[in-house]
Amino acid sequence: MKKLVVLTGAGISAESGLQTFRDEGGLWEGYNVYDVATPGAWFKNPRMVQDFYNLRRKAVLEAQPNSAHIGLAELEHYYDITIITQNIDDLHERAGSTNVLHLHGEITKAQSSSNPELIYPIDGWELKMGDTCELGSQLRPHIVWFGEQVPRMYEAEKITEKAELFAVIGTSLQVYPAAGLIHSAMQSVPKILLDPKPGVIGNVQNLTVIADKAGTGIKRLMELLLAIN
Ligand code: APR
């Protein structure tokens, strides 16, 4: 089976009812990144950070995978597929995808604020001040914040370098290093971008753009992939 790598962003979960970040009405219109998604924010006002991610977790637990998540899960029958997602939701997994790499962490998990390698599943939607890890340190959301290293980036690059097909769904490609992944795929590799408002991507060969929402465009994307195969 050919190796297919799919990079996903918030847009793939928009039709499941989860807000994107930079669209009109997106999360970063209602919140200041520096108040809720940086190590400095956690230092200054951890309760505000917990509240922000508790709300995100609640929304994720109430959401269901949509036809784009389900379509990607079906592609496991035809490809050796890795999904590299910037999303912190678990909708790819709940749709049935078995090989998902989360670049920016997972909202359903907590991590120790003193040792990031201590990671725990969260039962329910709420992580509280006073919830601690086995070392006695406060638990924080298992999220990669702005200003933090992206621990799984190297692994994501290595996987992308070996891709024989590459697709991108629902990301503004504005946040690095994730946005640079498309340049890790070999020039000769066919690439497909699915987004209703695709940005301009310079210096990328073999790129086909589908200007559509994930839920409807996934059918076209699957047809194109299967035609190449
Ligand atoms: N289907 C597909 N794409 C969509 C849909 C849809 N129904 N609706 C919106 N989009 C597209 C937008 O056109 C845009 O290109 O999804 C993209 C969303 O972009 P962002 O809000 O910037 O989300 P993302 O690229 O995932 O953000 C990257 O920034 O703050 C962070 O850490 C957060 O992982 C996130 C990172």
Side-chain angles (χ1 to χ4, degrees), residues 154-207:
Y154 180 74
E155 196 185 335
E157 278 166 0
K158 291 292 135 197
I159 292 166
T160 305
E161 282 167 15
K162 294 202 187 101
E164 294 170 284
L165 298 160
F166 188 76
V168 180
I169 306 177
T171 168
S172 60
L173 293 170
Q174 284 190 37
V175 174
Y176 285 80
L181 263 186
I182 193 162
H183 299 289
S184 296
M186 287 198 295
Q187 289 282 15
S188 58
V189 164
K191 302 169 191 77
I192 305 172
L193 170 65
L194 168 58
D195 195 297
K197 289 185 187 163
V200 179
I201 305 180
N203 208 14
V204 173
Q205 284 172 18
N206 287 312
L207 180 68

Side-chain angles (χ1 to χ4, degrees), residues 9-11 15 21-23 28 86 104 146 170-172 175 195-196 214:
E15 288 155 88
F21 296 94
R22 294 172 187 79
D23 287 300
W28 296 149
Q86 297 166 88
H104 294 163
F146 286 93
T171 168
S172 60
V175 174
D195 195 297

Side-chain angles (χ1 to χ4, degrees), residues 18 53-63 87-94 102 104-111 119-127 139-144:
L18 299 179
Y53 285 105
N54 282 340
L55 287 177
R56 307 280 75 75
R57 193 174 302 107
K58 203 166 186 214
V60 165
L61 293 178
E62 285 164 5
N87 298 346
I88 57 175
D89 67 55
D90 61 352
L91 296 182
H92 285 303
E93 287 90 341
R94 281 200 264 143
H102 286 268
H104 294 163
E106 294 171 75
I107 190 75
T108 52
K109 295 180 182 168
Q111 75 186 47
I119 296 163
Y120 308 87
I122 301 172
D123 192 17
W125 66 276
E126 202 176 8
L127 186 60
L139 287 173
R140 56 164 267 188
H142 177 48
I143 304 290
V144 178

